[in-house]
Each structure stands twice: as structure tokens, then as C-alpha cells.
């Protein structure tokens, strides 16, 4: 009988360890599930923010203010290039000023007409 009692006592701690490890395993599994849920939530948030960013970018490129800024920058760059070409050709200053003023007026009128449309 003593042998039977010893074997029974030896089996009991193993069962306790299995119960503890099972509890720890369940806790880790639950924590893992929570982390996966949080990860999915973050993925959805990132996709929503990406979509919102694309929408705002499209809105900005379609806005009249943005278009007028782009046209103004293009007009100013054309004036600067024209001045550089006239300077390289060694044009007289009075003619350079007159040509640039005519070109600036033409660009200004083009910008104003496109804003009204």
C-alpha cells in the first residue's frame, strides 16, 4: 500500500503543473487574441486614414486656389526665363522692360480669364 500512495502523490504535482500551465496558456492565448484584435483595428484605422489622405489630396488638386497658384508660378517662371533670354541676347534695358511688361500683362489677362471660367 505504501507504494501505491507514493505513486499517487507523485502524480498529483504533475496534475497541478498541468493545470497551472493550462491556465497560463489560456491567459497567453487570450492576450494574443487581444493583440490580434488591436492589430486589426490599427490596420483598419490606417486604411481609413490613407483613404482620407487621398480624398483630401484630390480635393486640393481640384481647388481653384491651388490651380491659380500653379498658374501664377508658371507665369512668373516664364517671365524669369524671358528676362534671362533677353539678358543673354544683350537687349537694351528699355526694350527689355517693355517686352516684359507686355508679357506680364498678357499672362495676367490669361490668369484672370481662366479664374472667371
Amino acid at each position: 500500500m505504501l507504494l501505491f500512495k507514493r505513486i499517487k502523490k507523485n502524480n498529483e504535482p504533475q496534475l497541478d503543473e498541468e493545470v497551472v500551465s493550462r491556465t497560463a496558456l489560456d491567459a497567453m492565448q487570450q492576450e494574443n487574441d487581444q493583440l490580434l484584435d488591436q492589430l486589426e483595428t490599427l490596420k483598419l484605422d490606417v486604411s481609413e486614414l490613407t483613404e482620407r489622405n487621398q480624398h483630401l489630396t484630390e480635393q486640393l488638386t481640384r481647388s481653384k486656389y491651388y490651380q491659380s497658384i500653379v498658374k501664377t508660378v508658371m507665369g512668373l517662371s516664364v517671365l524669369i526665363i524671358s528676362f534671362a533670354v533677353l539678358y543673354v541676347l544683350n537687349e537694351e534695358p528699355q526694350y527689355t522692360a517693355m517686352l516684359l511688361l507686355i508679357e506680364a500683362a498678357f499672362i495676367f489677362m490669361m490668369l484672370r480669364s481662366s479664374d472667371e471660367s
Side-chain angles (χ1 to χ4, degrees):
M1 291 255 189
L2 211 56
L3 182 66
F4 182 70
K5 287 183 180 179
R6 283 185 193 164
I7 293 173
K8 191 175 182 182
K9 285 183 181 179
N10 288 341
N11 286 340
E12 285 179 7
Q14 290 177 356
L15 290 176
D16 288 339
E17 289 175 7
E18 287 179 11
V19 169
V20 169
S21 65
R22 176 61 83 182
T23 305
L25 182 64
D26 288 341
M28 287 190 312
Q29 183 66 35
Q30 188 176 20
E31 184 179 352
N32 187 23
D33 291 341
Q34 288 175 350
L35 290 173
L36 286 173
D37 290 341
Q38 290 175 355
L39 182 64
E40 288 298 320
T41 303
L42 289 174
K43 282 182 182 178
L44 288 174
D45 289 345
V46 166
S47 65
E48 288 174 3
L49 289 174
T50 304
E51 183 178 319
R52 178 76 174 153
N53 186 17
Q54 288 174 349
H55 174 70
L56 289 175
T57 304
E58 288 175 8
Q59 243 182 351
L60 178 65
T61 56
R62 282 191 236 151
S63 75
K64 291 206 175 246
Y65 179 71
Y66 178 78
Q67 290 174 356
S68 67
I69 287 176
V70 168
K71 290 176 184 176
T72 304
V73 168
M74 288 173 39
L76 288 175
S77 61
V78 166
L79 281 175
I80 291 170
I81 291 170
S82 298
F83 176 74
V85 168
L86 291 172
Y87 182 77
V88 168
L89 293 177
N90 205 10
E91 189 68 37
E92 291 185 29
Q94 61 188 11
Y95 297 126
T96 301
M98 191 175 7
L99 288 172
L100 290 177
L101 283 174
I102 292 171
E103 187 174 349
F106 181 70
I107 290 171
F108 179 74
M109 296 302 276
M110 283 181 35
L111 288 175
R112 295 294 287 169
S113 66
S114 67
D115 287 345
E116 293 173 1
S117 302

